[in-house]
Amino acid sequence: MHKSSKPFAAADPVPADALRRAAPSVARGFYTILAAQFFSSLGDNALLFAAIALLESMQAPAWQIPVLQQFFVFAFILLAPFVGAYADALPKGQVMFISNSIKTAGCLAMLFGLHPLIAYGFVGLGAALYSPAKYGILTEYLPAERLVWANGWMEGLTVAAIILGAIFGGLLIGPRAGAEIVQQLNGLAFNGGIDTAPEFAILAVLGIYLIAAALNCFIPKLAIEHALTHRDPVSLVREFRQSFLMLWKDPLGQVSLAVTSLFWGAGTSLRFIILAWSAAALNFDREQATQLTAVVALGLAAGSVIAAKSVPVMHAVKVLPLGIAMGLVVLAMVWVSDWRLATLLLLAIGILAGSFLIPMNALLQHRGHLLMGSGHSIAVQNFNENLSILLMLGAYSLMIRAGFSIQAVVIAFGLFIALSMGAIHRLHGHDQDSNP
């Protein structure tokens, strides 16, 4: 899951606008990075719902909908040994431009008839290349004491992109706007073969990716931190394995990797669960269900603000109990049938998630940057997080194929989150005041 336009306050006494006052050119570069990330993430999230609508228009089996996200994350796992080294060996703005170009190609392929699963997987290839660069550039561009603050910005705008992507995508494929779009397209003398609402939504996403690619051209060019010492695949795999083991053996790296991997696996699955649950428990249609997922993202933005204001990197492990609470709130969804209560519940889930994700993400980035270089560490992080997504979405798909009720699915995921976070807290709760 796979965030506000207001600056997130720093965890230290430095005012939020200190970066802008101290170095205007640095501030411009930082906000250019944020803008590029916002549009790229906006495209990813809007395209997901357009692809879901396209699958439904093809009358694809229901289990293919979560599998859509599995195709997207598969590239993160397959390319993990290579993308970190690639991101560290080139200026990261250049890597982000290449990545957005690949996303654009995947979007075009879906528009011209390639099966949505395969085309969205190709977009995932671009996202896999993009991720080490977008997070790695923060550690190169800003000092360590600004990383929670910068992550608040990055994750906050990513949440905003999730919210707007869900609203925008849901609106375009919804029954009201969709019918109007089809009517207008059919009235054109030439529509380029775009005659359905999902196809029009994909075309709109293509424009968003082009904006992101254009912004990538204005990202400041930074010095390359880690030149490639090896270019052959075997050496890169061996180097990735060393980075993987190094980060998992580091106590603070271990806890932050475990928490962020659990969050993204459960959070991504929860996004699809909400679509099915809102239809069964609230009688929502696809447009309403899609927009309900934005409520969690809104809570995540609020949680990001709270974390950025109150949790410095050195105390990041203190937020682990919030993950247990999140699992228990997910469990409570089973007894909810009123949309107003559902909205409050999903908002609470998002706030709890943002409050523990942001500090853990900043801690992981900082440890990785110190141990092995930002691109390599983000690649290890992506491998673990997306492996978690792949496994949890696979479990969800299997439960659907086996005929599990959505209530049983919600109970299983809520218990899994609470028990897993409880186990992590038991193992690492005494590391609360460790100095990163």
Side-chain angles (χ1 to χ4, degrees):
M1 278 178 341
H2 346 327
K3 300 167 174 189
S4 99
S5 58
K6 182 179 178 181
F8 291 89
D12 53 26
V14 181
D17 62 346
L19 179 65
R20 174 176 52 80
R21 295 201 312 268
S25 61
V26 172
R28 282 194 300 271
F30 177 61
Y31 296 135
T32 302
I33 294 167
L34 292 178
Q37 159 59 13
F38 171 77
F39 282 103
S40 186
S41 182
L42 179 66
D44 292 347
N45 286 281
L47 184 61
L48 172 63
F49 295 108
I52 290 173
L54 197 57
L55 281 175
E56 291 178 337
S57 70
M58 298 165 55
Q59 298 183 332
W63 59 265
Q64 283 194 11
I65 291 177
V67 171
L68 187 72
Q69 190 72 33
Q70 285 184 303
F71 271 75
F72 183 85
V73 304
F74 184 70
F76 283 85
I77 299 169
L78 185 65
L79 298 180
F82 314 108
V83 293
Y86 180 73
D88 280 341
L90 291 174
K92 290 182 171 56
Q94 182 180 340
V95 175
M96 293 163 79
F97 175 81
I98 294 170
S99 303
N100 268 318
S101 300
I102 295 173
K103 290 183 180 183
T104 302
C107 195
L108 277 170
M110 191 182 301
L111 194 60
F112 285 115
L114 187 64
H115 194 283
L117 292 177
I118 300 173
Y120 199 54
F122 196 75
V123 174
L125 172 62
L129 293 173
Y130 193 91
S131 186
K134 76 174 182 181
Y135 284 115
I137 199 171
L138 295 182
T139 60
E140 295 178 1
Y141 207 63
L142 299 169
E145 64 270 15
R146 305 299 293 169
L147 281 180
V148 171
W149 175 82
N151 267 274
W153 265 104
M154 181 71 79
E155 298 300 329
L157 284 177
T158 302
V159 167
I162 292 173
I163 295 170
L164 294 176
I167 294 173
F168 183 59
L171 182 65
L172 290 178
I173 64 175
R176 292 175 292 275
E180 180 65 25
I181 289 170
V182 171
Q183 183 180 352
Q184 293 296 326
L185 290 171
N186 290 337
L188 296 175
F190 177 73
N191 60 20
I194 310 297
D195 52 12
T196 68
E199 289 174 342
F200 181 79
I202 294 167
L203 182 64
V205 172
L206 180 63
I208 294 173
Y209 281 143
L210 290 175
I211 293 172
L215 286 168
N216 293 149
C217 298
F218 296 95
I219 290 176
K221 188 174 181 179
L222 303 177
I224 296 171
E225 281 194 336
H226 300 273
L228 278 177
T229 54
H230 306 286
R231 295 182 180 271
D232 61 288
V234 174
S235 297
L236 290 175
V237 170
R238 187 182 299 116
E239 190 175 82
F240 174 79
R241 179 178 177 275
Q242 292 172 349
S243 298
F244 178 90
L245 294 174
M246 187 183 300
L247 206 50
W248 271 112
K249 288 179 179 179
D250 178 73
L252 293 177
Q254 183 181 108
V255 62
S256 54
L257 260 181
V259 171
T260 56
S261 298
L262 174 65
F263 169 81
W264 287 112
T268 303
S269 301
L270 186 62
R271 193 177 195 183
F272 291 92
I273 291 170
I274 289 171
L275 294 176
W277 171 78
S278 59
L282 308 176
N283 294 317
F284 274 14
D285 61 26
R286 176 62 72 199
E287 181 179 353
Q288 293 171 315
T290 297
Q291 294 179 9
L292 193 61
T293 64
V295 175
V296 180
L298 188 62
L300 193 58
S304 299
V305 175
I306 295 169
K309 285 184 175 181
S310 58
V311 185
V313 174
M314 64 286 299
H315 295 153
V317 185
K318 288 184 177 181
V319 300
L320 288 175
L322 298 178
I324 303 172
M326 175 186 163
L328 297 177
V329 178
V330 169
L331 196 61
M333 288 170 57
V334 174
W335 293 280
V336 174
S337 57
D338 181 84
W339 70 268
R340 288 158 292 208
L341 184 56
T343 301
L344 291 175
L345 200 67
L346 294 176
L347 189 65
I349 290 172
I351 291 172
L352 289 168
S355 297
F356 73 79
L357 175 66
I358 300 304
M360 284 292 151
N361 210 37
L363 176 61
L364 182 55
Q365 288 177 25
H366 183 55
R367 293 303 298 166
H369 180 60
L370 293 177
L371 293 171
M372 66 199 67
S374 58
H376 287 72
S377 69
I378 299 299
V380 172
Q381 179 181 357
N382 283 339
F383 177 83
N384 285 276
E385 291 176 0
N386 286 283
L387 184 60
S388 175
I389 291 172
L390 192 70
L391 293 174
M392 291 197 196
L393 282 176
Y396 175 46
S397 298
L398 288 174
M399 283 189 278
I400 292 176
R401 295 192 70 174
F404 280 62
S405 68
I406 190 62
Q407 288 78 13
V409 172
V410 169
I411 291 172
F413 271 85
L415 286 175
F416 177 77
I417 294 169
L419 293 174
S420 298
M421 288 298 298
I424 294 171
H425 182 253
R426 184 175 180 180
L427 288 172
H428 296 279
H430 298 296
D431 299 333
Q432 291 186 7
D433 295 312
S434 298
N435 191 338

